[in-house]
């Protein structure tokens, strides 16, 4: 069974830890430290479940009473997602968005039947995968609805099919990242999708948010891996993806990828898989500046010579080495100053060797300096740990949050500059703004910002203002409001800036066709 995450913290409670002494010392040097540790939240009140009895009885009839949970603990564990605002609200004792019931279907047909009940009684339905949304994607509007159901897909966790000839596999939506890799590994296969939330997020969630993982340079974004989908909607079932490619009109898979539970419940995902790599080599390259490293990334992307993992930290992030709190403040690897790039190769020994030789020649030719495998090994070992660091910082009264965007190469630097400036201006001294590039394309790349600032009297208000300023800056330079976190409720006010008024009308028209009563995740995605 996957670990159920505490509403005020990330991940596995057994892995939570206080900051190492050296890091704490550094934090105390920069920020005013206050004790903001939160205790057991059992005492925090959540609203009483208000689902009408007749609805509960009908839900029992579909999934059985033991899969309809209305107790406080079950509802508390599925309140909102895991953005810093979500954690701050829970830490402040605000669990007002708790669902009225958690329903756990075991099959597509049960999902379809549940949607029928919800539509008849006008109950809002929030599909719930791993609960790692960072954009308010799990907070449905309540007014005008008889209640809110969290449709927890954790029981739908099977590998349904493997086609080793076509190299595809079909997974149910509740399969978590590690479980997907374990199931595929039994067949000598891998999906290659490793977002930082990998340990908790689900296949359905990856599809519903158009997620992108740390190995996207080699394996592609999640939406590029999807070959087929089955979606239960209140208007019926949609089955898509019968051939490797098709010219049968617009690609409707793209309508449901990124639909964030607002168009239907994804009940099966067919994905392209690859052979499990026999060899993995991650190594570090040092660049004299962020610009020099970015230029090298562009060259690789435009030469179609990408490694499996390619990420570049800016000067600030390199100096802090966020993945390794143990070594924050120490000298680190290689030359001081400048920027660290992680370059990872995966495949057979022969392909790793050939690609590594070719990539290294390009990087060395552009002024990069190899700093060996140790930084790569350390990055790989700590790649899923940073969210635990956020909790430790929140415990010290330091606000930590991230945001991301993407821009064409010709505008990447200006996007970096305006977003950094907006965050710094909004948060003031002594805020820190760090950035890395971790998803590259022939035409551009993503920028992922991390901020740390004193939480002040109103941490939520402080972050909301900073996020608004950064998003306005992003819109101002025509970059995207989100490269891989999705829209949710947080980015919805700016969706029209990105896709235009007619684009919003198209989204509304699709919503009306598949969800005429508007019960699916109301208020999420569609303005
Ligand atoms: C610490 C941290 C690190 C992260 N790192 C990354 C990263 O590296 N890359 C990245 O892309 N994202 C990242 N995210 C964001 C998040 O993990 C992704 O958006 C992920 O894809 C969500 O998956 P989930 O299963 O947790 O979905 P949930 O959070 O449960 O749901 C997300 C949205 O999808 C909908 N949904 C979920 N399942 C279904 C379904 N089966 N059918 C229809 N709708 C559904 C929900 O209603 C909701 O709107 C990170 C988040 C955190 C907290």
């Amino acid at each position: 069974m996957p670990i159920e995450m505490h509403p005020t913290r990330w991940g596995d409670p057994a892995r939570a830890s206080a900051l190492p002494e050296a890091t704490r010392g550094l934090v105390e040097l920069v920020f005013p430290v206050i004790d903001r540790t939160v205790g057991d939240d059992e005492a925090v009140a959540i609203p009483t479940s208000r689902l009408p009895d007749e609805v509960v009885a009908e839900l029992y009839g579909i999934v059985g009473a033991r899969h309809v949970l209305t107790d406080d603990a079950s509802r508390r564990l599925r309140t909102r997602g895991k953005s810093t605002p979500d954690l701050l609200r829970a830490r402040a004792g605000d669990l007002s968005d708790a669902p009225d019931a958690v329903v756990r279907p075991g099959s597509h047909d049960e999902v379809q039947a549940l949607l029928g009940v919800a539509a008849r009684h006008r109950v809002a339905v929030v599909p719930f995968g791993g609960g790692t949304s960072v954009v308010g994607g799990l907070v449905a509007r309540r007014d005008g609805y008889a209640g809110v159901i969290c449709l927890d897909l954790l029981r739908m966790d099977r590998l349904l099919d493997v086609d080793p000839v076509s190299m595809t596999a079909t997974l149910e939506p509740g399969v978590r990242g590690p479980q997907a890799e374990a199931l595929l590994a039994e067949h000598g296969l891998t999906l290659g999708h490793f977002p930082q939330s990998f340990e908790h997020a689900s296949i359905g969630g990856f599809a519903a948010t158009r997620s992108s993982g740390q190995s996207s340079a080699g394996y592609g974004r999640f939406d590029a891996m999807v070959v087929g989908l089955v979606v239960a909607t209140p208007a019926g079932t949609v089955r898509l993806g019968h051939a490797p490619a098709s010219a049968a009109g617009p690609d409707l898979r793209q309508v449901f990828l990124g639909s964030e539970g607002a168009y239907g419940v994804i009940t099966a995902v067919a994905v392209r898989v690859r052979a499990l790599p026999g060899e993995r080599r991650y190594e570090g390259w040092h660049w004299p500046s962020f610009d020099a490293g970015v230029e090298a990334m562009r060259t690789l992307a435009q030469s179609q010579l990408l490694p499996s993992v390619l990420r570049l930290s800016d000067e600030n992030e390199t100096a802090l080495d966020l993945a390794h709190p143990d070594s924050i403040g120490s000298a680190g690897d290689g030359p001081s100053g400048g920027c660290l790039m992680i370059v990872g190769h995966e495949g057979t020994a022969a392909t790793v060797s050939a690609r590594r030789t070719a990539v290294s020649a390009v990087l060395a030719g552009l002024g990069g300096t190899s700093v060996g495998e140790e930084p790569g090994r350390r990055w790989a070992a700590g790649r899923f740990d940073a969210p635990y660091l956020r909790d430790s910082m929140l415990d010290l009264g330091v606000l930590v949050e991230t945001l991301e965007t993407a821009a064409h190469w010709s505008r990447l630097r200006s996007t970096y500059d305006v977003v950094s400036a907006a965050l710094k201006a909004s948060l003031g001294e002594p805020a820190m703004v760090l950035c890395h590039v971790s998803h590259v394309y022939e035409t551009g790349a993503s920028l992922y910002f991390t901020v740390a600032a004193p939480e002040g009297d109103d941490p939520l208000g402080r972050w909301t203002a900073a996020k608004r300023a950064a998003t306005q800056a992003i819109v101002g330079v025509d970059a995207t409001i989100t490269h891989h976190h999705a829209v949710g409720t947080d980015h919805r006010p700016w969706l029209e800036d990105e896709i235009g008024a007619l684009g919003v009308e198209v989204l509304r028209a699709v919503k009306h066709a598949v969800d005429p009563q508007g019960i699916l995740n109301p208020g999420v995605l569609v303005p």
Side-chain angles (χ1 to χ4, degrees):
M1 282 291 273
I3 287 164
E4 295 190 316
M5 282 191 281
H6 196 280
T8 60
R9 305 188 87 82
W10 172 254
D12 179 355
R15 278 171 58 192
S17 62
L19 283 184
E21 271 311 304
T23 316
R24 193 186 159 113
L26 194 72
V27 171
E28 283 175 358
L29 272 182
V30 181
F31 302 115
V33 163
I34 37 176
D35 185 4
R36 283 280 185 260
T37 317
V38 283
D40 188 345
D41 73 334
E42 288 302 315
V44 176
I46 70 169
T48 313
S49 173
R50 62 184 181 112
L51 212 53
D53 289 346
E54 55 178 318
V55 177
V56 175
E58 285 191 47
L59 299 176
Y60 282 1
I62 296 169
V63 292
R66 72 194 179 97
H67 295 304
V68 181
L69 312 169
T70 52
D71 62 290
D72 287 0
S74 302
R75 296 187 298 122
R76 183 181 287 121
L77 290 172
R78 290 155 186 93
T79 302
R80 309 191 187 101
K82 286 288 172 275
S83 68
T84 297
D86 291 337
L87 301 184
L88 288 170
R89 286 191 183 98
R91 281 169 165 259
D94 171 5
L95 296 178
S96 55
D97 292 313
D100 294 294
V102 177
V103 185
R104 303 190 307 206
S107 67
H108 172 89
D109 290 347
E110 287 185 5
V111 173
Q112 197 63 72
L114 290 168
L115 293 181
V117 172
R120 269 200 308 286
H121 294 279
R122 199 164 167 74
V123 171
V125 176
V126 181
F128 190 98
T132 68
S133 168
V134 281
V135 292
L138 298 164
V139 183
R141 209 176 58 231
R142 292 176 165 263
D143 49 303
Y145 292 88
V148 176
I149 289 175
C150 164
L151 203 74
D152 189 336
L153 296 154
L154 90 170
R155 286 178 61 218
M156 297 179 67
D157 64 353
R158 290 173 303 159
L159 172 62
L160 296 175
D161 177 57
V162 175
D163 177 347
V165 177
S166 311
M167 291 296 272
T168 63
T170 305
L171 293 148
E172 286 190 311
V175 179
R176 302 300 200 268
Q179 194 190 352
E181 287 299 331
L183 289 167
L184 292 171
E186 288 174 17
H187 300 266
L189 301 171
T190 181
L191 182 54
H193 186 65
F194 302 102
Q196 195 183 53
S197 53
F198 167 76
E199 294 172 301
H200 300 280
S202 70
I203 291 294
F206 296 148
T209 59
R210 298 176 76 193
S211 166
S212 192
Q214 295 168 347
S215 309
S216 64
Y219 292 88
R221 297 164 58 91
F222 193 79
D223 49 17
M225 300 173 184
V226 173
V227 296
L229 290 170
V230 180
V231 189
T233 83
T237 295
V238 182
R239 292 177 198 277
L240 299 165
H242 305 279
S246 167
D251 187 348
L252 285 183
R253 290 171 305 184
Q254 297 300 332
V255 171
F256 290 95
L257 289 167
S259 62
E260 300 183 58
Y263 287 175
V265 183
I266 297 165
T267 57
V269 184
V271 283
R272 171 256 283 155
V273 288
R274 298 225 172 122
L276 204 54
E279 186 157 319
R280 292 187 170 91
R281 279 186 88 152
Y282 304 127
E283 54 202 5
W285 283 79
H286 178 266
W287 295 91
S289 68
F290 189 54
D291 288 341
V294 166
E295 194 53 20
M297 290 179 126
R298 181 171 77 86
T299 304
L300 290 177
Q302 293 178 342
S303 318
Q304 293 83 45
L305 194 58
L306 284 171
S308 308
V309 175
L310 184 62
R311 54 189 290 128
L312 174 74
S313 295
D314 73 354
E315 289 85 352
N316 293 338
E317 192 177 282
T318 301
L320 269 181
D321 194 2
L322 268 191
H324 304 95
D326 293 346
S327 60
I328 287 177
S330 68
D333 304 279
S336 61
C339 295
L340 179 67
M341 176 187 277
I342 299 294
V343 181
H345 299 279
E346 298 180 4
T348 61
T351 56
V352 165
S353 169
R355 189 146 288 243
R356 184 167 170 259
T357 303
V359 168
S360 300
V362 171
L363 298 181
L366 290 169
T369 307
S370 169
V371 288
E373 292 194 41
E374 182 52 22
R377 266 197 291 268
R378 294 195 318 140
W379 170 79
R383 64 198 289 192
F384 303 126
D385 290 345
Y388 292 100
L389 183 59
R390 170 176 63 166
D391 288 332
S392 309
M393 299 285 271
L394 290 174
D395 284 345
L396 295 177
V398 181
L399 177 68
V400 175
E401 181 56 309
T402 63
L403 65 84
E404 38 81 54
T405 180
H408 291 299
W409 291 116
S410 57
R411 294 201 297 270
L412 199 68
R413 179 72 212 197
S414 52
T415 304
Y416 172 90
D417 288 339
V418 296
V419 176
S420 305
L423 289 168
K424 282 182 198 151
S426 178
L427 292 164
E429 290 293 336
M432 288 177 150
V433 178
L434 324 172
C435 185
H436 67 248
V437 177
S438 51
H439 308 279
V440 299
Y441 307 91
E442 286 181 54
T443 55
S446 72
L447 293 169
Y448 187 94
F449 294 89
T450 303
V451 305
E455 67 167 39
D457 296 336
D458 175 15
L460 199 53
R462 240 162 106 58
W463 173 249
T464 306
K467 170 87 178 179
R468 189 183 310 118
T471 310
Q472 270 155 5
I474 285 169
V475 167
V477 290
D478 213 13
T480 179
I481 56 171
T482 173
H483 166 263
H484 59 265
H485 280 169
V487 174
T489 48
D490 295 1
H491 291 139
R492 196 191 49 199
W494 292 278
L495 186 58
E496 187 171 328
D497 288 304
E498 180 143 341
I499 64 172
L502 186 54
V504 169
E505 280 312 315
V506 172
L507 290 187
R508 288 195 182 124
V510 175
K511 172 92 176 159
H512 185 70
V514 292
D515 179 22
Q517 291 91 355
I519 54 156
L520 280 168
N521 237 351
V524 169
L525 174 65
V526 185

